[in-house]
Amino acid sequence: MKKNISLILMGVGGVGRQLLQHIVSCRSLHAKQGIHLRVVGVSDSKSLVVASDAFTMELGDTFLMEVCRVKSDGASLSTISGYDESKVFTNSESTKKIIDVAAFLGKSTGLALVDCSASSETIPVLTQAVDLDCCIVMANKKPLTSTMEDYDKLISYPRRIRHESTVGAGLPVIASLNRILSSGDPVHRIIGSLSGTLGYVMSEVEDGKPLSQVVQSAKNLGYTEPDPRDDLSGMDVARKALILARLLGRRINLDDIKIESLYPEEMAPSVMSIEDFLGTGILSLDKDIQERVSKASLNGNVLRYVCVIDASRCQVGIQELPKDSPLGRLRGSDNVLEIYTRCYNDQPLVIQGAGAGNDTTAAGVLADIIDIQDLFP
């Protein structure tokens, strides 16, 4: 008997579009597994498109591909026309409509809300949906790094939430940690390089290249955000560290994490333009980084931008690490996480692989959706 998993996708940027493409391309695979992913709604920051009757209808694959095309062109979902079996709601109406659908489907056929946005505006919808028996799947880090009140609400039904792609894209970081914690094996320490961008930057400056040149190369390769300071600030790594720390039971907020930015406050986006930062600002940072690289090298070590979580601290920044450690051997944009527990004491559990990219992240989200199938009738 075929199992239908109904879902609403929030966010159709790079990851959201890639997820829709994965869903369509995996139809035959999922059919063999007796599963059908029924996309009943898709929303962006301006509007929501939902099937006319979410109980019996869905947005067809042709329509989903049209969504991908329109969003790739930078247009709004509201510009899609000619599909009679859907309704469009504006931003002010869309939150209410999602909750209406969640209330209708959550307690009957089941519903998964899939958050692939990068916005904190999805938090009120997600926290309400939890009480409507909905499942929540997230690639968006903002809801899990909001207040402890929001966090507690979201994880109040742990079987109904999946968020593997919030840390390490598609790598099995959250699942591995949950298994360790469930077994009663205490986690003493986590240290990891959780930014593909900063992993690439640190391994390149190790080879003697100036920071300014490396950042420009990373931007040209598409590794960085449009403004590379979004990566260099360390805030993205801090959000991932907070998710891991809270998973371990630490009741802390983003403000409690010590974050080392790779640029000073006088070069912040509110003070200096991107052009000035890339043109002149970052050049003045080359000497300091190169001196730190040389000093580490004299000690037989390398520099890595890492998060460190243990009993006394949760911090992100540059650390000197042994060249022959898993983190020291890290090259390019891979992510590496070392987990030290009672069982994994002398030799940590090491998780390594591609930790960035829309394709990898969307694959992780899709796996999370399939993972909740037993919660659907």
Side-chain angles (χ1 to χ4, degrees):
M1 186 176 159
K2 186 171 70 174
K3 180 166 289 206
N4 285 307
I5 300 176
S6 303
L7 66 95
I8 292 177
L9 171 63
M10 298 186 291
V12 264
V15 174
R17 292 197 302 273
Q18 193 69 57
L19 175 63
L20 291 178
Q21 287 167 11
H22 281 328
I23 287 172
V24 172
S25 66
C26 288
R27 287 296 187 203
S28 58
L29 170 67
H30 292 153
K32 285 176 190 167
Q33 297 171 340
I35 299 165
H36 177 72
L37 298 190
R38 213 170 69 89
V39 183
V40 298
V42 177
S43 72
D44 60 13
S45 58
K46 296 187 177 67
S47 48
L48 162 75
V49 182
V50 70
S52 302
D53 179 357
F55 194 70
T56 60
M57 297 160 72
E58 64 187 278
L59 302 176
D61 290 354
T62 305
F63 182 78
L64 297 180
M65 290 302 93
E66 179 65 6
V67 166
C68 292
R69 188 192 65 76
V70 165
K71 292 305 296 181
S72 292
D73 292 343
S76 168
L77 284 177
S78 56
T79 61
I80 299 177
S81 60
Y83 189 75
D84 298 334
E85 296 174 348
S86 68
K87 293 178 182 172
V88 179
F89 296 87
T90 60
N91 194 18
S92 56
E93 310 165 304
S94 60
T95 300
K96 182 181 182 303
K97 184 61 184 176
I98 290 175
I99 294 300
D100 288 347
V101 174
F104 183 54
L105 295 183
K107 295 181 188 293
S108 54
T109 64
L111 179 71
L113 289 188
V114 182
D115 186 357
C116 288
S117 73
S119 167
S120 40
E121 289 179 15
T122 59
I123 296 172
V125 179
L126 297 177
T127 51
Q128 287 179 74
V130 165
D131 285 333
L132 299 170
D133 290 356
C134 292
C135 294
I136 309 291
V137 176
M138 284 177 283
N140 182 10
K141 291 178 277 292
K142 301 265 175 79
L144 291 172
T145 55
S146 179
T147 63
M148 277 309 304
E149 185 185 357
D150 286 336
Y151 181 83
D152 288 340
K153 184 72 175 173
L154 287 171
I155 64 155
S156 54
Y157 299 97
R159 286 184 65 236
R160 297 209 305 257
I161 183 171
R162 297 290 184 280
H163 59 96
E164 192 64 79
S165 293
T166 56
V167 180
L171 292 174
V173 173
I174 305 298
S176 301
L177 264 177
N178 275 330
R179 285 178 66 85
I180 288 169
L181 294 168
S182 298
S183 75
D185 185 12
V187 177
H188 304 309
R189 184 167 182 258
I190 294 176
I191 179 165
S193 175
L194 294 174
S195 163
T197 308
L198 292 173
Y200 171 83
V201 167
M202 297 315 293
S203 63
E204 289 290 295
V205 295
E206 184 192 324
D207 293 340
K209 296 173 187 167
L211 177 71
S212 54
Q213 182 189 317
V214 171
V215 169
Q216 189 61 63
S217 300
K219 189 176 190 303
N220 295 341
L221 288 165
Y223 287 171
T224 73
E225 295 295 327
D227 185 340
R229 285 170 294 187
D230 290 348
D231 299 291
L232 300 175
S233 69
M235 186 53 75
D236 186 59
V237 179
R239 286 190 187 280
K240 293 173 182 178
L242 180 57
I243 290 169
L244 294 177
R246 285 178 167 180
L247 200 62
L248 299 183
R250 302 280 294 279
R251 298 187 65 77
I252 58 172
N253 293 309
L254 214 45
D255 294 346
D256 300 314
I257 298 177
K258 188 179 171 191
I259 306 169
E260 178 184 1
S261 171
L262 294 191
Y263 61 84
E265 281 183 24
E266 56 267 26
M267 293 184 196
S270 57
V271 181
M272 187 181 277
S273 69
I274 300 182
E275 293 74 24
D276 286 347
F277 176 70
L278 292 174
T280 56
I282 197 169
L283 291 169
S284 65
L285 307 178
D286 286 346
K287 185 165 176 271
D288 177 57
I289 288 288
Q290 206 48 59
E291 283 174 357
R292 289 175 74 175
V293 168
S294 302
K295 183 170 171 285
S297 183
L298 288 172
N299 299 330
N301 294 331
V302 292
L303 297 183
R304 293 290 179 261
Y305 195 97
V306 296
C307 73
V308 181
I309 305 161
D310 57 26
S312 62
R313 63 188 164 153
C314 182
Q315 64 184 56
V316 301
I318 294 177
Q319 295 255 341
E320 253 190 61
L321 296 163
K323 247 184 191 152
D324 60 352
S325 65
L327 279 158
R329 291 192 295 269
L330 176 66
R331 304 297 299 170
S333 59
D334 272 8
N335 280 192
V336 176
L337 197 73
E338 297 177 18
I339 303 171
Y340 293 84
T341 73
R342 186 188 66 230
C343 296
Y344 299 99
N345 190 17
D346 298 329
Q347 291 297 323
L349 173 65
V350 179
I351 302 169
Q352 177 170 0
N358 295 336
D359 192 7
T360 322
T361 306
V365 174
L366 182 56
D368 271 352
I369 296 169
I370 299 301
D371 195 44
I372 54 173
Q373 62 179 288
D374 290 345
L375 300 173
F376 286 76

